[in-house]
């Protein structure tokens, strides 16, 4: 199948759906590596639930180290509208909404951004095949924010996603800054199937910042893909619990 025969928006939607099915509970290690090799490690719990309308709800709670313990985030990942995010900061005993221009900022001092914690709505982007798309078993798809406002929200001028042509699994994503420099790459290092459902969980991801020499890795240590998760888990008022 050539790139011309396959709608890039549909490919991105189908790829999103494969990572967005099922209910998942996981313990996760976030490792932050500085340019000089110094390492910081954070442990967290992550609970994710998907809904028939394409909405994904996710809650992240930090367990270690002590200086971030109790910090929590709620992410409502909407299919066709902007995502909603809240953060609870235990030092302030306060839950607040993450406003749109903070979504491109660092997630807990890592090379992942707050926006990387959700899939983003494809309607926020102009999506097209790159010239090499469809060759070597890979779709190469560029997503450019539809406006300067959206670019500011996400924190980049464009991203290029590499998908396996058959499975539509994401291999990596390159991000370009406002000078059109490649500044960050997220690589998907491992996945786990979702049991009886079609789809998979990205269980090992590495974000490399090409400009500052830092990298961050998210690795799922334990994954339960058959968890029963009540809907009232995903309420901003619960973040402090």
């Amino acid at each position: 199948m050539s790139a011309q025969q396959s709608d890039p928006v549909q490919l991105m939607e189908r790829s999103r759906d494969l990572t967005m099915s099922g209910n998942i509970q996981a313990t996760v290690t976030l490792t932050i590596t500085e340019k000089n090799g110094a390492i910081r490690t954070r442990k967290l719990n992550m609970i994710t639930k998907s809904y028939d309308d394409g909405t994904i709800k996710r809650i992240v709670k930090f367990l270690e180290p002590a200086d971030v313990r109790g910090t929590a985030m709620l992410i409502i990942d909407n299919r066709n509208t902007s995502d909603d995010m809240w953060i609870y900061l235990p030092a302030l005993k306060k839950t607040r909404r993450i406003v749109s221009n903070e979504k491109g900022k660092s997630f807990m001092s890592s090379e992942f951004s707050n926006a990387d914690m959700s899939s983003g709505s494809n309607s926020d982007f102009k999506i097209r095949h790159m010239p090499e798309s469809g060759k070597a078993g890979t779709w190469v798809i560029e997503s450019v924010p539809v406006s300067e406002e959206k670019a500011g929200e996400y924190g980049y001028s464009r991203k290029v996603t590499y998908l396996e042509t058959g499975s539509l699994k994401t291999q990596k994503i390159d991000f370009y800054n406002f000078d059109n420099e490649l500044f960050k790459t997220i690589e998907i290092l491992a996945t786990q199937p979702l049991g009886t459902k079609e789809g998979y969980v990205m269980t090992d991801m590495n974000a490399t910042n090409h400009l500052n020499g830092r990298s961050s890795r998210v690795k799922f240590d334990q994954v339960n893909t058959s968890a029963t998760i009540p809907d009232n888990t995903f309420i901003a008022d619960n973040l402090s619990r």
Side-chain angles (χ1 to χ4, degrees):
M1 186 186 294
S2 73
Q4 284 70 34
Q5 291 172 309
S6 211
D7 183 332
V9 178
Q10 288 182 355
L11 291 175
M12 291 293 284
E13 287 285 353
R14 281 162 55 203
S15 176
R16 177 191 190 273
D17 289 346
L18 287 171
T19 65
M20 296 292 161
S21 43
N23 299 341
I24 301 158
Q25 284 185 314
T27 55
V28 178
T29 302
L30 169 61
T31 305
I32 300 167
T33 305
E34 301 291 340
K35 186 177 183 178
N36 64 6
I39 290 173
R40 285 178 290 153
T41 303
R42 291 162 180 209
K43 293 272 187 186
L44 52 117
N45 271 337
M46 187 179 291
I47 302 172
T48 303
K49 185 169 186 173
S50 60
Y51 293 82
D52 291 342
D53 65 355
T55 303
I56 309 298
K57 297 184 180 181
R58 178 173 295 121
I59 202 162
V60 177
K61 289 196 174 183
F62 282 80
L63 309 175
E64 298 172 16
D67 64 338
V68 296
R69 185 183 301 132
T71 302
M73 279 183 74
L74 170 64
I75 299 135
I76 309 296
D77 190 341
N78 300 303
R79 179 189 280 278
N80 296 315
T81 57
S82 292
D83 299 331
D84 298 300
M85 298 181 180
W86 292 263
I87 188 166
Y88 173 73
L89 300 167
L92 303 176
K93 293 187 167 56
K94 186 177 177 185
T95 298
R96 70 173 184 83
R97 192 181 187 97
I98 294 174
V99 295
S100 59
N101 63 5
E102 295 176 297
K103 290 180 182 176
K105 293 185 176 172
S106 169
F107 171 73
M108 297 300 289
S109 304
S110 75
E111 293 313 305
F112 292 95
S113 70
N114 291 324
D116 292 332
M117 296 298 107
S118 69
S119 64
S121 172
N122 284 321
S123 60
D124 287 344
F125 299 94
K126 297 175 200 159
I127 296 172
R128 70 178 183 102
H129 283 289
M130 297 292 279
E132 65 270 31
S133 189
K135 299 171 186 172
T138 306
W139 297 121
V140 184
I141 298 173
E142 180 188 65
S143 303
V144 177
V146 294
S147 64
E148 284 187 17
E149 182 186 12
K150 284 294 176 189
E153 185 176 312
Y154 284 99
Y156 53 81
S157 66
R158 64 190 183 101
K159 67 177 178 179
V160 178
T161 304
Y162 295 75
L163 305 175
E164 289 180 9
T165 51
S167 67
L168 294 184
K169 277 188 179 180
T170 303
Q171 299 168 321
K172 70 171 184 172
I173 309 170
D174 286 335
F175 297 85
Y176 292 80
N177 65 18
F178 298 105
D179 293 323
N180 202 31
E181 294 174 295
L182 173 63
F183 77 93
K184 182 171 80 173
T185 299
I186 295 178
E187 294 175 277
I188 314 307
L189 304 176
T191 62
Q192 178 176 317
L194 271 174
T196 56
K197 292 191 175 184
E198 185 186 22
Y200 65 96
V201 189
M202 297 177 183
T203 54
D204 193 353
M205 291 170 281
N206 193 70
T208 302
N209 189 311
H210 303 291
L211 300 185
N212 66 18
R214 297 173 88 231
S215 65
S216 300
R217 187 170 181 176
V218 167
K219 199 166 190 301
F220 285 51
D221 306 312
Q222 297 173 312
V223 186
N224 178 0
T225 59
S226 57
T228 301
I229 303 167
D231 289 337
N232 64 6
T233 303
F234 306 99
I235 296 171
D237 289 346
N238 290 344
L239 289 179
S240 59
R241 293 177 186 170

Short mmCIF file of all heavy atoms in Angstrom, two decimals, residues 17-24 192-201 223 225:
data_model
loop_
_atom_site.label_atom_id
_atom_site.label_comp_id
_atom_site.label_asym_id
_atom_site.label_seq_id
_atom_site.Cartn_x
_atom_site.Cartn_y
_atom_site.Cartn_z
N ASP A 17 -6.01 4.59 18.75
CA ASP A 17 -6.98 3.66 19.33
C ASP A 17 -6.31 2.39 19.85
O ASP A 17 -6.76 1.82 20.85
CB ASP A 17 -8.05 3.30 18.29
CG ASP A 17 -9.00 4.46 17.99
OD1 ASP A 17 -8.99 5.43 18.77
OD2 ASP A 17 -9.72 4.39 16.98
N LEU A 18 -5.25 1.93 19.19
CA LEU A 18 -4.57 0.71 19.62
C LEU A 18 -3.91 0.87 20.99
O LEU A 18 -3.72 -0.10 21.71
CB LEU A 18 -3.51 0.30 18.60
CG LEU A 18 -4.02 -0.29 17.29
CD1 LEU A 18 -2.88 -0.44 16.29
CD2 LEU A 18 -4.69 -1.65 17.53
N THR A 19 -3.55 2.11 21.34
CA THR A 19 -2.89 2.35 22.63
C THR A 19 -3.88 2.83 23.68
O THR A 19 -3.50 3.12 24.80
CB THR A 19 -1.78 3.41 22.51
OG1 THR A 19 -2.37 4.67 22.17
CG2 THR A 19 -0.76 3.02 21.45
N MET A 20 -5.15 2.93 23.30
CA MET A 20 -6.11 3.58 24.17
C MET A 20 -7.26 2.67 24.60
O MET A 20 -8.29 3.14 25.00
CB MET A 20 -6.73 4.79 23.43
CG MET A 20 -5.73 5.86 23.12
SD MET A 20 -5.17 6.66 24.61
CE MET A 20 -3.67 7.40 24.04
N SER A 21 -7.07 1.37 24.46
CA SER A 21 -8.16 0.48 24.86
C SER A 21 -7.78 -0.21 26.17
O SER A 21 -6.61 -0.40 26.47
CB SER A 21 -8.45 -0.54 23.77
OG SER A 21 -7.25 -1.04 23.25
N GLY A 22 -8.80 -0.56 26.94
CA GLY A 22 -8.55 -1.32 28.15
C GLY A 22 -8.40 -0.45 29.39
O GLY A 22 -8.28 0.76 29.33
N ASN A 23 -8.42 -1.14 30.52
CA ASN A 23 -8.22 -0.53 31.83
C ASN A 23 -6.89 -1.04 32.38
O ASN A 23 -6.64 -2.24 32.40
CB ASN A 23 -9.36 -0.90 32.78
CG ASN A 23 -10.70 -0.43 32.26
OD1 ASN A 23 -10.77 0.45 31.41
ND2 ASN A 23 -11.77 -1.01 32.76
N ILE A 24 -6.05 -0.13 32.81
CA ILE A 24 -4.68 -0.50 33.16
C ILE A 24 -4.31 0.11 34.51
O ILE A 24 -4.54 1.29 34.76
CB ILE A 24 -3.70 0.01 32.08
CG1 ILE A 24 -4.04 -0.59 30.71
CG2 ILE A 24 -2.25 -0.31 32.45
CD1 ILE A 24 -3.53 0.20 29.55
N GLN A 192 3.37 -4.21 25.58
CA GLN A 192 2.74 -5.42 26.11
C GLN A 192 1.33 -5.51 25.55
O GLN A 192 0.59 -4.53 25.56
CB GLN A 192 2.69 -5.35 27.65
CG GLN A 192 2.02 -6.54 28.30
CD GLN A 192 2.09 -6.46 29.82
OE1 GLN A 192 3.12 -6.12 30.39
NE2 GLN A 192 0.98 -6.77 30.48
N PRO A 193 0.93 -6.69 25.03
CA PRO A 193 -0.43 -6.81 24.50
C PRO A 193 -1.48 -6.65 25.59
O PRO A 193 -1.21 -6.88 26.77
CB PRO A 193 -0.48 -8.22 23.90
CG PRO A 193 0.80 -8.89 24.22
CD PRO A 193 1.69 -7.92 24.93
N LEU A 194 -2.68 -6.25 25.18
CA LEU A 194 -3.77 -6.00 26.14
C LEU A 194 -4.64 -7.24 26.35
O LEU A 194 -5.85 -7.14 26.42
CB LEU A 194 -4.65 -4.85 25.63
CG LEU A 194 -4.22 -3.46 26.05
CD1 LEU A 194 -5.08 -2.41 25.37
CD2 LEU A 194 -4.27 -3.27 27.56
N GLY A 195 -4.04 -8.40 26.41
CA GLY A 195 -4.80 -9.60 26.70
C GLY A 195 -5.81 -9.92 25.61
O GLY A 195 -5.46 -10.11 24.46
N THR A 196 -7.09 -9.94 25.99
CA THR A 196 -8.13 -10.34 25.04
C THR A 196 -8.46 -9.24 24.04
O THR A 196 -9.02 -9.51 22.99
CB THR A 196 -9.41 -10.71 25.80
OG1 THR A 196 -9.80 -9.60 26.62
CG2 THR A 196 -9.19 -11.91 26.68
N LYS A 197 -8.12 -7.99 24.34
CA LYS A 197 -8.47 -6.88 23.46
C LYS A 197 -7.36 -6.61 22.45
O LYS A 197 -6.19 -6.84 22.72
CB LYS A 197 -8.73 -5.61 24.27
CG LYS A 197 -9.96 -5.68 25.15
CD LYS A 197 -10.26 -4.30 25.70
CE LYS A 197 -11.57 -4.32 26.49
NZ LYS A 197 -11.94 -2.99 26.94
N GLU A 198 -7.77 -6.12 21.29
CA GLU A 198 -6.79 -5.63 20.33
C GLU A 198 -6.15 -4.39 20.92
O GLU A 198 -6.82 -3.55 21.49
CB GLU A 198 -7.48 -5.30 19.01
CG GLU A 198 -6.50 -4.91 17.92
CD GLU A 198 -7.20 -4.43 16.65
OE1 GLU A 198 -8.36 -4.01 16.74
OE2 GLU A 198 -6.56 -4.47 15.61
N GLY A 199 -4.86 -4.29 20.78
CA GLY A 199 -4.19 -3.11 21.31
C GLY A 199 -3.02 -3.49 22.19
O GLY A 199 -2.73 -4.67 22.42
N TYR A 200 -2.34 -2.47 22.70
CA TYR A 200 -1.13 -2.73 23.48
C TYR A 200 -0.86 -1.57 24.42
O TYR A 200 -1.40 -0.48 24.26
CB TYR A 200 0.06 -2.96 22.55
CG TYR A 200 0.46 -1.75 21.73
CD1 TYR A 200 1.49 -0.91 22.14
CD2 TYR A 200 -0.18 -1.45 20.52
CE1 TYR A 200 1.87 0.19 21.39
CE2 TYR A 200 0.20 -0.36 19.77
CZ TYR A 200 1.22 0.46 20.21
OH TYR A 200 1.58 1.56 19.47
N VAL A 201 0.00 -1.83 25.40
CA VAL A 201 0.47 -0.81 26.34
C VAL A 201 1.93 -0.53 26.03
O VAL A 201 2.72 -1.46 25.85
CB VAL A 201 0.37 -1.30 27.81
CG1 VAL A 201 0.66 -0.16 28.76
CG2 VAL A 201 -0.97 -1.92 28.10
N VAL A 223 2.21 -4.43 35.42
CA VAL A 223 1.07 -3.98 34.63
C VAL A 223 -0.10 -4.95 34.83
O VAL A 223 0.05 -6.15 34.63
CB VAL A 223 1.41 -3.92 33.12
CG1 VAL A 223 0.26 -3.30 32.34
CG2 VAL A 223 2.70 -3.14 32.88
N THR A 225 -3.70 -5.48 33.23
CA THR A 225 -4.55 -5.03 32.12
C THR A 225 -5.99 -5.49 32.26
O THR A 225 -6.79 -5.33 31.34
CB THR A 225 -3.99 -5.53 30.77
OG1 THR A 225 -3.93 -6.96 30.80
CG2 THR A 225 -2.61 -4.96 30.50
#
